[in-house]
Amino acid sequence: MTTSTTTPNPRLASILQKTRQAFQIAAASAALACAAGPAAALPVQINQSQFASQSAGLVVTSENFSGFPGMVPLGNSVVLANGTFTGNAAIVNDLGTAAGFCASPCLTTGDTTGDLRSFSLFPAGTQLWSAVLDMVFDFALPDIIHVEVLGNSGLLAFDVVGPNAQFLGFADPLGLLSVSFQHDLAQGGNKYNYSFDDVTTARTRANQIPEPSSLSLMLLALGAALAVQRRRQRLIG
């Protein structure tokens, strides 16, 4: 009686072992990602150079207010090229720096009540927002404006101190929903007007929306599992 033995292929066994290890690591990473959930994040404030670099490859839309009639009341809701502004007594001011205003036409809002002014209804997929904020007509004390940035990842809130014009930029990779401003009248002083210019948004294209990291890990684990299954079938065959 003859007994035959099959000598295992060392190279094939090594490949199978490495594939099993890769699958185990990927599966464990996917399980941890799913259990932990997405990392906590908030919209972040960015400077002008960061806005320029992060908006590369995105669809950028800017509203400079040159198409609006000057010094004409616009009501409490103004449709912009990249969203909607809601606030009291809005006009496009084109009086220039000689009168103490913006150098170019800008959206100016009078504020004697401390009402909320908001930019919202951005184009779908908007990840970046910026504007130049200019605070005028406060000769006694520095202006203080409370800013709130709402995005799909959370709420960012802070104070801006004037009176000089300054660039404000924000980013949220999950999408921005609104940017709001409220004058802090409790600080006293002759606070009245503040203005916005060069309101700019940057949004993703439909095929640029990133996948969640947890989904990527799950796809990696699935690919490794399929590779193991195919190699096993080859061994059996």
Side-chain angles (χ1 to χ4, degrees):
M1 181 177 177
T2 303
T3 303
S4 60
T5 59
T6 302
T7 303
N9 186 325
R11 182 173 178 274
L12 190 59
S14 175
I15 292 174
L16 184 59
Q17 178 63 24
K18 290 180 179 179
T19 303
R20 285 174 177 166
Q21 291 175 349
F23 169 72
Q24 291 170 351
I25 292 173
S29 299
L32 287 174
C34 292
L42 295 174
V44 295
Q45 186 173 4
I46 57 177
N47 59 34
Q48 198 163 4
S49 61
Q50 290 172 325
F51 187 97
S53 62
Q54 293 183 30
S55 62
L58 302 181
V59 179
V60 178
T61 306
S62 185
E63 177 62 79
N64 61 11
F65 304 102
S66 60
F68 287 84
M71 306 309 295
V72 176
L74 300 175
N76 296 335
S77 181
V78 183
V79 178
L80 310 179
N82 48 9
T84 298
F85 172 80
T86 304
N88 183 43
I91 61 172
V92 170
N93 194 319
D94 59 356
L95 295 180
T97 54
F101 289 95
C102 312
S104 60
C106 58
L107 183 67
T108 300
T109 173
D111 190 356
T112 57
T113 60
D115 293 338
L116 196 68
R117 275 82 168 129
S118 296
F119 294 87
S120 60
L121 300 179
F122 305 135
T126 293
Q127 296 182 341
L128 306 175
W129 185 93
S130 72
V132 176
L133 172 65
D134 194 4
M135 292 173 271
V136 296
F137 286 167
D138 185 351
F139 304 109
L141 295 173
D143 287 339
I144 299 177
I145 293 182
H146 185 65
V147 183
E148 290 190 353
V149 183
L150 178 63
N152 286 317
S153 64
L155 177 68
L156 171 68
F158 64 99
D159 289 336
V160 173
V161 180
N164 298 326
Q166 51 193 291
F167 175 91
L168 293 177
F170 308 103
D172 188 339
L174 298 184
L176 289 168
L177 301 176
S178 66
V179 181
S180 301
F181 300 83
Q182 189 170 28
H183 221 152
D184 186 357
L185 299 180
Q187 297 297 320
N190 189 28
K191 300 174 176 63
Y192 186 61
N193 293 331
Y194 57 106
S195 303
F196 304 94
D197 200 4
D198 296 326
V199 178
T200 305
T201 57
R203 63 177 177 84
T204 58
R205 302 178 192 275
N207 59 357
Q208 289 179 320
I209 298 175
E211 295 179 345
S213 58
S214 59
L215 178 59
S216 299
L217 288 171
M218 292 176 67
L219 291 175
L220 177 63
L222 179 60
L226 291 175
V228 170
Q229 185 178 6
R230 283 196 297 269
R231 286 186 171 86
R232 283 179 176 172
Q233 290 175 346
R234 289 172 187 168
L235 285 175
I236 295 174

